[in-house]
Amino acid sequence: MKHAVVVGASAAGLAAAETLRSEGYDGILTLIGAEIDPPYDRPPLSKQILASAWDADRLALRTLEQLTALRLDLRLGARATGLDLAERIVRLADGTPIPYDGLIIATGVRPRRLPGVGAHVLRTLSDALTLRRSLRPGTRLAVVGAGFLGAECAAVARGLGCDVVLLEPAPVPLAHAVGEQIGRVLSQAHREHGVDLRTGVTVTAVTDTGVLLSGGDLVEADEVLVAIGSQPNTEWLDGSGLEIADGLVCDQYSAAAPGVYGAGDVARWHNPLFGVTMRVEHRTNAAEQGMAAARNLLYPDARKPFAPVPYFWSDQYDMKIHAYGDLRGSDEVAVVDGNLEQRRFVAAYRSGDRLVGALAVGMPPKAIRPWRQAIATGAAWAIR
């Protein structure tokens, strides 16, 4: 391999580039990023950056000196618009062809939007800084979507003195992700902190004065944040011959085609640990999959399946939430330590006869770490 190309200059793409170099790759290494900013960390956008607890310069994943040491052909502010698998060429928006011998696709996701103009979304540093300037004491903020991103932003906005209405179509926020019982516990925290949480409501459009509900009612707001999920950035791969299905479809090695690998939020791969195909939008997974994809690209005769225990965390008010495993669609959730009412507990998740996940709220990290190992080894469900 003489020319490796990584498309996507966030956590997954940077991890892939660094791994290629650390594993001995000495050829041309092109890193392409659609944003003009050097690689930066995204989880603090909805936490420390939005709350003005951090300055933007704290987000940088690497210093300029560290990036320089990677000897990158760094193309920032460059958007990939096409891929020719036969000719092994990535095409950029300005028409530039970038040839490759090996390719890692880490183009991430973008926010879903609603009809209308003027609403905020939160994916980039620019998004976070723009929203932050709008959050002042007394500002009426409507947050559409009570998933983890929407919930985190609602919590920060309340801390800044905003009046917050949180709108969610499901009967119980986050029930699809953590289970109904725990979803209710997390929802109660928002109500106790003064959030006007409304469930079972569907927002159809953004207006000049707020958001319009499906029944025709208007929820008035000074600012609107739409947090209704993400779309994988795969349009540039249309016509390439790669399989696309809610992300770039990859096998257990994160391979999408010979010499082409996916990593991070955009990749839907078969995780042999759980025996299912998954696409994970979490920071830890992005870095781990970037490293795994780079190694498999570099050493095709010694490839290893990418079989992680997914991990995510969330900060909401005084609640620290940590989770390992595949929590969605579990058959049973059991509280194994602590107390739900006090919002200090560990819950375990069962699928079939197997432990598949664990979640902790308000507990020290050591309370949940042993569960990660049990999930990783495929432990049988032994909770009665």
Side-chain angles (χ1 to χ4, degrees):
M1 188 166 66
K2 296 180 180 180
H3 192 169
V5 173
V6 180
V7 185
S10 195
L14 178 62
E18 288 185 323
T19 302
L20 286 170
R21 287 298 192 219
S22 66
E23 292 286 341
Y25 173 69
D26 199 39
I28 301 171
L29 179 51
T30 300
L31 179 61
I32 300 168
E35 294 185 58
I36 61 173
D37 296 303
Y40 63 86
D41 212 11
R42 297 188 191 275
L45 295 178
S46 59
K47 306 174 181 71
Q48 294 90 344
I49 294 296
L50 195 59
S52 297
W54 285 12
D55 292 329
D57 56 8
R58 288 191 62 175
L59 294 183
L61 288 171
R62 298 295 181 268
T63 65
L64 179 59
E65 292 75 15
Q66 289 170 324
L67 289 176
T68 301
L70 292 173
R71 294 174 287 117
L72 298 172
D73 169 26
L74 184 58
R75 311 284 185 105
L76 296 178
R79 186 167 56 87
T81 56
L83 172 64
D84 187 326
L85 279 181
E87 296 295 328
R88 297 198 165 202
I89 290 175
V90 173
R91 299 197 179 277
L92 303 185
D94 64 2
T96 302
I98 308 292
Y100 69 86
D101 297 317
L103 175 64
I104 295 177
I105 296 170
T107 44
V109 297
R110 66 185 183 279
R112 296 184 182 275
R113 297 177 182 267
L114 287 170
V117 297
H120 298 271
V121 292
L122 186 53
R123 174 66 183 177
T124 68
L125 174 58
S126 177
D127 292 337
L129 294 177
T130 300
L131 178 58
R132 185 170 82 176
R133 288 191 290 269
S134 303
L135 300 183
R136 296 177 294 274
T139 297
R140 297 175 302 173
L141 174 68
V143 180
V144 185
F148 281 107
L149 177 62
E152 288 177 357
C153 293
V156 169
R158 282 300 296 145
L160 295 173
C162 300
D163 295 327
V164 179
V165 56
L166 183 55
L167 305 167
E168 168 61 37
V172 180
L174 291 170
H176 68 289
V178 299
E180 183 173 323
Q181 185 181 30
I182 294 173
R184 292 186 187 280
V185 170
L186 300 181
S187 299
Q188 184 59 27
H190 288 282
R191 292 191 169 100
E192 290 177 5
H193 282 84
V195 172
D196 179 7
L197 173 58
R198 306 184 193 180
T199 59
V201 295
T202 300
V203 175
T204 58
V206 178
T207 74
D208 293 339
T209 56
V211 295
L212 191 66
L213 303 184
S214 58
D217 291 339
L218 176 70
V219 177
E220 294 185 354
D222 303 311
E223 304 289 341
V224 176
L225 170 64
V226 176
I228 56 173
S230 302
Q231 294 176 276
N233 289 322
T234 57
E235 287 76 10
W236 70 283
L237 299 172
D238 289 348
S240 67
L242 296 178
E243 184 179 357
I244 305 298
D246 184 33
L248 173 65
V249 177
C250 303
D251 63 15
Q252 63 178 340
Y253 303 104
S254 296
V260 179
Y261 288 79
D265 297 2
V266 74
R268 174 172 292 281
W269 91 103
H270 179 79
N271 186 335
L273 178 61
F274 298 92
V276 299
T277 298
M278 57 176 60
R279 186 172 65 80
V280 177
E281 296 183 16
H282 300 319
R283 169 67 173 81
T284 303
N285 185 79
E288 291 178 348
Q289 194 165 23
M291 292 186 285
R295 292 190 183 104
N296 285 341
L297 173 64
L298 198 56
Y299 306 119
D301 295 331
R303 297 192 304 172
K304 295 181 180 179
F306 181 57
V309 176
Y311 167 73
F312 73 86
W313 74 95
S314 179
D315 296 333
Q316 299 174 34
Y317 309 109
D318 58 348
M319 295 187 301
K320 299 287 186 180
I321 304 167
H322 301 268
Y324 287 106
D326 185 16
L327 279 56
R328 295 172 182 260
S330 57
D331 298 321
E332 181 182 355
V333 183
V335 175
V336 294
D337 189 10
N339 183 280
L340 282 176
E341 288 69 29
Q342 296 176 2
R343 292 198 285 271
R344 287 181 54 83
F345 62 88
V346 175
Y349 292 71
R350 174 181 67 82
S351 182
D353 60 355
R354 182 180 163 190
L355 173 71
V356 294
L359 177 143
V361 175
M363 301 288 276
K366 65 181 181 181
I368 194 174
R369 283 176 187 150
W371 291 92
R372 180 192 182 282
Q373 183 60 26
I375 297 166
T377 56
W381 182 261
I383 299 168
R384 295 294 182 264

